[in-house]
């Protein structure tokens, strides 16, 4: 199965979407380290301060807890803040604000307030980053009630996710794969329409095995399954959101193929793949023709740049795993 190629780069799509949202809603504003004059580390917000001014595109202090803390107060006051954390490894100082404050505000006020708050976080490896610059910690927030977590793999999905996130009335963390920001083209795919804004999307139909994945590694998955076709026909489900998880789409796919492989960039232990594997075994054991398998890095710190290729899941590893499962 072959498909058309998407040409919308992730960073360009996010920039265009943020500009459109700023234009449409005077309550919406951006804040983060170096997002104004510099346009962000990856230039995702380039040109927005010049267009919308310092009050709408705000350079913050070098303090992630302050960024999120201010945003919570702004959101409770009726504004719609969209924060940027420079790298996912810098998120930890803001965990207290996100988990003990932002995630609980709605319940704490018995639903009387519904603050819209979005936190954008560049994530993942493959760019030879130094320590704390290449992590994938989405599972940390995915398990927190009250926080939604999205992981786009294309510019089109990033646009849809952001437009929905600013209307949700509760905190959303959006993980944006660094190595996709300025990739000029994306692997071939024919995405099927998602049933709801937080639904997964079947990006390739197949009959022999289902791969559930998300984020940057979706592209390695697609490259691998295209290389194996037509000998092995693999269905690919791009989760897009990991909290809430669209298990219905995964279950429907597994019912068609009878096999499931979950691939993600964060460490395997206690990760998103473990939750999916347990849920499928619980709800759909009778549909399986073989054990559910996970393909993800071992539980260890992200290595120095010279060794990251041995840590990340690549095309060959995916192909080998698929062949083992379908032989």
């Amino acid at each position: 199965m072959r498909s058309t190629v998407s040409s919308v780069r992730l960073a360009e799509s996010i920039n265009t979407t943020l500009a459109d949202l700023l234009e449409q809603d005077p309550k919406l504003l951006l804040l983060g380290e170096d997002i104004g004059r510099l346009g962000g580390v990856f230039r995702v917000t380039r040109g927005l301060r010049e267009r919308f001014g310092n009050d709408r595109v705000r350079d913050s202090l070098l303090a992630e807890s302050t960024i999120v803390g201010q945003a919570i107060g702004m959101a409770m006051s009726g504004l719609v803040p969209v924060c940027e954390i420079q790298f996912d490894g810098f998120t930890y100082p803001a965990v207290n604000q996100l988990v003990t404050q932002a995630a609980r505000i709605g319940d704490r006020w018995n639903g009387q307030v519904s603050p819209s708050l979005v936190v954008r976080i560049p994530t993942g490896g493959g760019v030879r980053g130094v320590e704390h610059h290449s992590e994938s910690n989405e599972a940390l927030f995915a398990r927190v009630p009250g926080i939604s977590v999205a992981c786009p793999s294309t510019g089109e999905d990033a646009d849809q996710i952001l437009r929905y996130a600013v209307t949700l009335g509760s905190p959303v963390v959006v993980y944006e794969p660094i190595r996709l920001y300025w990739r000029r083209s994306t692997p071939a795919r024919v995405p099927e329409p998602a049933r709801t804004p937080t639904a997964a999307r079947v990006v390739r139909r197949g009959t022999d095995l289902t791969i559930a994945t998300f984020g940057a590694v979706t592209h390695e998955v697609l490259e691998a399954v295209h290389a194996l076709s037509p000998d092995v026909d693999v269905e690919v489900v791009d989760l897009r959101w990991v909290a809430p998880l669209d298990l219905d789409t995964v279950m429907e796919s597994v019912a068609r193929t009878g096999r499931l492989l979950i691939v993600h960039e964060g460490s395997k232990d206690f990760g998103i793949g473990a939750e999916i594997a347990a849920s499928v075994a619980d709800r759909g054991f009778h549909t399986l023709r073989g054990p559910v398998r996970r393909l993800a890095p071992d539980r260890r710190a992200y290595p120095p740049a010279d060794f990251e290729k041995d840590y990340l899941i690549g095309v060959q590893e995916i192909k080998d795993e698929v062949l083992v499962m379908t032989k």
Side-chain angles (χ1 to χ4, degrees), residues 53-259:
N54 295 336
D55 289 340
R56 305 283 306 283
V57 183
R58 302 186 178 191
D59 282 322
S60 70
L61 297 173
L62 186 66
E64 288 75 16
S65 61
T66 301
I67 294 171
V68 177
Q70 289 181 71
I72 294 170
M74 292 174 177
M76 292 184 68
S77 300
L79 299 174
V80 183
V82 179
C83 309
E84 178 179 305
I85 305 296
Q86 285 190 337
F87 293 90
D88 54 8
F90 297 173
T91 309
Y92 303 112
V95 168
N96 179 54
Q97 294 284 11
L98 278 165
V99 174
T100 66
Q101 301 300 328
R104 301 168 187 257
I105 290 296
D107 287 336
R108 187 177 295 149
W109 287 71
N110 294 319
Q112 296 176 46
V113 295
S114 301
S116 291
L117 165 64
V118 179
V119 181
R120 298 178 38 251
I121 307 176
T123 189
V127 294
R128 296 184 58 82
V130 297
E131 187 179 18
H132 304 305
H133 289 65
S134 302
E135 300 181 25
S136 297
N137 56 23
E138 63 279 345
L140 175 68
F141 295 113
R143 71 173 306 276
V144 177
I147 296 179
S148 300
V149 180
C151 304
S153 64
T154 68
E156 293 89 345
D157 274 341
D159 170 76
Q160 294 175 21
I161 286 167
L162 282 171
R163 291 182 189 278
Y164 178 70
V166 298
T167 69
L168 192 56
S170 60
V172 180
V173 179
V174 182
Y175 282 90
E176 301 166 0
I178 295 170
R179 67 178 182 268
L180 301 186
Y181 270 143
W182 295 104
R183 182 177 286 188
R184 290 190 174 275
S185 61
T186 61
R189 56 171 63 201
V190 176
E192 297 185 5
R195 291 175 292 192
T196 68
T198 58
R201 194 191 303 278
V202 178
V203 295
R204 188 184 193 278
R205 284 286 184 180
T207 58
D208 297 329
L209 176 142
T210 296
I211 297 182
T213 187
F214 59 91
V217 76
T218 304
H219 298 262
E220 280 76 21
V221 167
L222 287 167
E223 184 177 343
V225 301
H226 282 306
L228 291 171
S229 179
D231 297 324
V232 183
D233 191 20
V234 178
E235 183 153 306
V236 179
V237 177
D238 184 348
L239 295 170
R240 304 198 309 148
W241 293 76
V242 296
L245 267 173
D246 178 12
L247 289 170
D248 288 341
T249 296
V250 175
M251 293 300 304
E252 290 169 6
S253 178
V254 173
R256 290 190 292 269
T257 67
R259 298 183 179 91

